[in-house]
Amino acid sequence: MNHSSERLWTSSFILLTLCNLLLFIGLQMTLSTLPAYAEGTLQASSVQVSLVTSLFALSAIASRLFSAKAMEKGGRNLLVFLGLAVSLAAVVGYYWAGSIPALLLLRMLFGIGFGMASTAFPTMASDIIPVRRMGEGMGYFGLSTSLAMSAGPLIGLSLLQGPGFGPLLVCTAGVLALILPFACRLTAGLPAHHKEPAAAPVSELKGGAFRRLFIPCLLNFLLAVSYGGLLGFLALYGAEVHLERIAYFFLFNAAAIVVVRPLSGKIYDRFGPPALLIPGSLFIVAGLLLLSFAASTAALFPAALCYGIGFGSMQPALQTWMIQSVEPRQRGMANGMFFNSLDLGVAAGSMILGSIALYTSYAVMYRYSALAPVLLLLIYTAVLLVKRCNSRKPAAGPSVSYPAAK
């Protein structure tokens, strides 16, 4: 089949990408601002500030375990609307959360709703993307996630530092509510569940899938550890080093992602994960080190550029790798594990890096956070070396596999 004849930009794909963009913008507008609000207004301690991020992530992880099962049984439309409703209710509740326990409870509720919707949208996208353009398609779809991860914090911090917490919540609720009419149109045009013929017993597929997904999940976790430090503490770092426009980091980061994301998908389809994960890790390390020494707004530009290039190329590569490692009917599980490893990394990064900052400084904390992508690079290099050695030997049994360069 001709590569160009397989349509990617269908109306369903565009609507899915838009819904995913709005969902993650709504998340990021609060994920980057609630820690600063909790510390400044509710007098939260460093540990409590970390819990604002980590409890959300852990509840989202638990929610996705249920969501993956529900999607296998054909309940993804229900997950979309239930997840959006729960998330919207939690955001509205933030306004009346006058204590840390109440705020943490609502963060857990938001995590449950977000976990449902964030599992459904990428699984629906992977079902309609042409198989031979999966890397390119998930690259463009994932661009919505990465853009939201950059634009959301920028919008959120600007609203918090300007109009205040109330207008921030109104805008966040508006963004989430805007998804509902798009989702209605989307789910009306797609089947509730994508069915594929069974190629093997379900128990065998699940066991094999978990083994194949372990390495990309581990790498995604390490990538997210450093991002947890950005989301949870960048505003506080700006106050520490007296950078009033620290939110510009997310703006410059978004610009880099917009440029690199469309290219990264095509590179993945042609050369496979190594062409993106190895250089991407080095860019992440450079970005974090440059950020830790930034003394002016101008110094944020190279730091954000390097981080954006690395993150924007690595994240879609890892997600596509995981989707291609399982049967089509297991894509819900693969996407759930992708986002679970992402959220778990953000939670771990927030807790670990927050503890480091407590005894050192935020600048030193970011230098320590660069160890996560270094470890990622070492593990992935070891995996490649082991695979190369095994390929030179006679096959002795099944092994962990991943897409090879094309």
Side-chain angles (χ1 to χ4, degrees), residues 7 52 58 86 91 99 272 281 360 385:
R7 287 190 64 201
V52 171
L58 293 175
V86 172
V91 170
S99 65
S281 300
T360 57
L385 291 175

Side-chain angles (χ1 to χ4, degrees), residues 263-352:
L263 299 175
S264 65
K266 294 180 180 180
I267 292 173
Y268 180 95
D269 285 336
R270 185 169 182 180
F271 300 106
L276 296 170
L277 298 184
I278 294 175
S281 300
L282 299 177
F283 274 108
I284 292 283
V285 172
L288 292 170
L289 293 179
L290 288 171
L291 174 63
S292 71
F293 290 102
S296 65
T297 302
L300 293 175
F301 178 74
L305 184 65
C306 288
Y307 195 91
I309 292 173
F311 194 86
S313 59
M314 293 177 69
Q315 193 185 47
L318 289 167
Q319 186 174 16
T320 307
W321 174 2
M322 293 176 71
I323 289 172
Q324 292 182 332
S325 297
V326 299
E327 296 291 326
R329 63 178 177 174
Q330 291 183 300
R331 288 171 181 165
M333 180 187 70
N335 280 307
M337 291 183 67
F338 170 81
F339 285 109
N340 280 350
S341 58
L342 175 65
D343 286 339
L344 188 60
V346 169
S350 178
M351 295 294 291
I352 296 171

Side-chain angles (χ1 to χ4, degrees), residues 63-391:
S63 174
R64 290 195 188 100
L65 296 177
F66 157 78
S67 299
K69 294 282 187 181
M71 291 196 70
E72 288 183 4
K73 297 179 180 179
R76 67 186 183 188
N77 289 355
L78 175 62
L79 285 177
V80 168
F81 291 108
L82 182 59
L84 290 174
V86 172
S87 300
L88 188 56
V91 170
V92 173
Y94 290 154
Y95 185 80
W96 288 278
S99 65
I100 291 298
L103 181 63
L104 294 179
L105 180 62
L106 288 169
R107 289 303 284 159
M108 294 175 65
L109 183 64
F110 184 85
I112 292 172
F114 178 81
M116 295 179 187
S118 64
T119 301
F121 285 144
T123 304
M124 294 162 75
S126 63
D127 282 345
I128 64 174
I129 294 173
V131 174
R132 300 175 74 177
R133 302 183 70 179
M134 186 64 71
E136 181 185 2
M138 291 308 298
Y140 281 115
F141 180 82
L143 178 60
S144 62
T145 302
S146 295
L147 275 178
M149 285 182 165
S150 299
L154 175 63
I155 297 170
L157 289 172
S158 299
L159 288 171
L160 182 64
Q161 295 169 357
F165 188 63
L168 166 64
L169 295 182
V170 171
C171 290
T172 304
V175 168
L176 294 177
L178 188 59
I179 303 174
L180 292 171
F182 295 128
C184 287
R185 181 178 176 183
L186 175 66
T187 54
L190 288 175
H193 182 57
H194 182 77
K195 297 181 179 180
E196 292 286 340
V202 173
S203 58
E204 179 182 340
L205 284 173
K206 287 185 177 179
F210 277 115
R211 288 193 296 271
R212 291 191 295 271
L213 294 175
F214 175 75
I215 292 298
C217 276
L218 176 61
L219 301 182
N220 195 45
F221 168 83
L222 292 172
L223 176 63
V225 166
S226 67
Y227 194 71
L230 292 177
L231 285 177
F233 306 107
L234 191 62
L236 301 175
Y237 171 62
E240 177 184 82
V241 297
H242 308 292
L243 282 176
E244 296 181 357
R245 298 180 178 178
I246 191 69
Y248 279 17
F249 179 90
F250 291 111
L251 176 63
F252 300 145
N253 187 57
I257 289 173
V258 169
V259 172
V260 75
R261 257 295 169 87
L263 299 175
S264 65
K266 294 180 180 180
I267 292 173
Y268 180 95
D269 285 336
R270 185 169 182 180
F271 300 106
L276 296 170
L277 298 184
I278 294 175
S281 300
L282 299 177
F283 274 108
I284 292 283
V285 172
L288 292 170
L289 293 179
L290 288 171
L291 174 63
S292 71
F293 290 102
S296 65
T297 302
L300 293 175
F301 178 74
L305 184 65
C306 288
Y307 195 91
I309 292 173
F311 194 86
S313 59
M314 293 177 69
Q315 193 185 47
L318 289 167
Q319 186 174 16
T320 307
W321 174 2
M322 293 176 71
I323 289 172
Q324 292 182 332
S325 297
V326 299
E327 296 291 326
R329 63 178 177 174
Q330 291 183 300
R331 288 171 181 165
M333 180 187 70
N335 280 307
M337 291 183 67
F338 170 81
F339 285 109
N340 280 350
S341 58
L342 175 65
D343 286 339
L344 188 60
V346 169
S350 178
M351 295 294 291
I352 296 171
L353 297 177
S355 300
I356 293 174
L358 181 64
Y359 295 102
T360 57
S361 67
Y362 290 112
V364 173
M365 178 202 74
Y366 282 121
R367 291 164 204 162
Y368 275 106
S369 72
L371 294 175
V374 169
L375 182 59
L376 185 158
L377 180 60
L378 293 176
I379 291 174
Y380 186 58
T381 302
V383 169
L384 291 178
L385 291 175
V386 169
K387 180 176 175 61
R388 180 172 295 182
C389 291
N390 289 340
S391 66

